[in-house]
Amino acid sequence: MTDINHVMLIGRLTRDLDDRNFGYVGNGQCRANVSIAVNRSRKNGDNWVDEVNYFDVTIWGKQAENLKPYLTKGKQIAVEGFLKQDRWEKDGQKFSKVTITANNVQLLGGRDNGGNGAGYSNGNQGFGGNNSFAGGAPAFQPNSQPAAPSFTGGYDSNVSFGGVPGDFSEDIPF
C-alpha cells in the first residue's frame, strides 16, 4: 500500500535562477533548483507573529525550461509536488536533506515591478498571440460586438405576461 506524500505551497522565490541552479543532467533532462520563502502567521499569546520557512524545490523537464525566464527573485509561485529525502555520508558523518520535487509549478500575480508580463507574454509562447498573461492564464479580451441572444426550444417572444408585450401588470397572480 502506498502512503501519501503530497505538498502544496505558495511562496516567493528567494533568488534569481542562474546557470549554477539550472542545467541538464546526464540523460538530457532539464533541472531547475529554486528556493522559496513561505510566510506564515501564528498566534503568540495575544499577538500575531510572522514566521518564514524556506524550502528547496526541484523542477524537472520542459516545465523547468519553459519557466526559466520567469523564475526571478520575489516572484510568487505555487508549487505542487512531493517530498524527497536525500541521504549521504561524508567523512564518516551522515547527512540528510529534504527537498520538494515539483509536479506542477504555476506563476502567480500580475505584472512585476519591471513591467514584464508575469507569465508567457513574449512572442507566441504560451497560448499564442501577443496577449499578456498573468499567472499563465490568458488575458481577458472583450468581444468587440456583443453576442446576440439565442433562445432555443419552447420560448415564444409573442407571449405576454400581463397584457401588452413588454408591459407587466401590477397584479401578480401569486
Side-chain angles (χ1 to χ4, degrees):
M1 180 174 162
T2 303
D3 295 325
I4 296 174
N5 180 357
H6 189 89
V7 177
M8 290 181 13
L9 296 170
I10 294 177
R12 295 194 180 272
L13 294 168
T14 60
R15 63 181 181 267
D16 290 345
L17 183 63
D18 56 13
D19 291 336
R20 192 174 54 128
N21 294 307
F22 179 85
Y24 294 87
V25 295
N27 64 2
Q29 190 175 22
C30 184
R31 184 203 76 235
N33 291 329
V34 297
S35 178
I36 61 171
V38 178
N39 295 317
R40 180 177 170 240
S41 294
R42 64 178 175 82
K43 190 123 179 166
N44 187 6
D46 290 339
N47 299 323
W48 285 94
V49 178
D50 287 332
E51 181 179 277
V52 180
N53 292 289
Y54 299 93
F55 299 97
D56 292 326
V57 179
T58 302
I59 308 166
W60 290 96
K62 279 286 196 193
Q63 187 166 220
E65 287 179 317
N66 292 338
L67 289 173
K68 183 183 179 187
Y70 309 107
L71 297 177
T72 57
K73 183 177 180 177
K75 181 68 183 159
Q76 189 178 40
I77 63 171
V79 176
E80 179 268 324
F82 59 93
L83 297 175
K84 181 176 185 293
Q85 183 180 30
D86 294 321
R87 296 179 185 177
W88 68 96
E89 191 172 321
K90 181 178 179 182
D91 299 330
Q93 193 172 16
K94 294 181 180 183
F95 294 92
S96 175
K97 181 178 182 179
V98 176
T99 60
I100 298 168
T101 300
N103 291 330
N104 187 22
V105 175
Q106 293 192 0
L107 303 174
L108 300 178
R111 296 181 177 270
D112 59 13
N113 293 338
N116 296 330
Y120 299 104
S121 63
N122 57 343
N124 291 324
Q125 290 182 346
F127 296 95
N130 291 324
N131 295 337
S132 176
F133 293 81
F140 175 71
Q141 294 289 329
N143 195 355
S144 59
Q145 295 182 355
S150 63
F151 299 101
T152 58
Y155 179 77
D156 184 0
S157 61
N158 293 327
V159 173
S160 171
F161 296 98
V164 182
D167 187 18
F168 292 95
S169 169
E170 298 265 347
D171 297 326
I172 299 174
F174 48 86

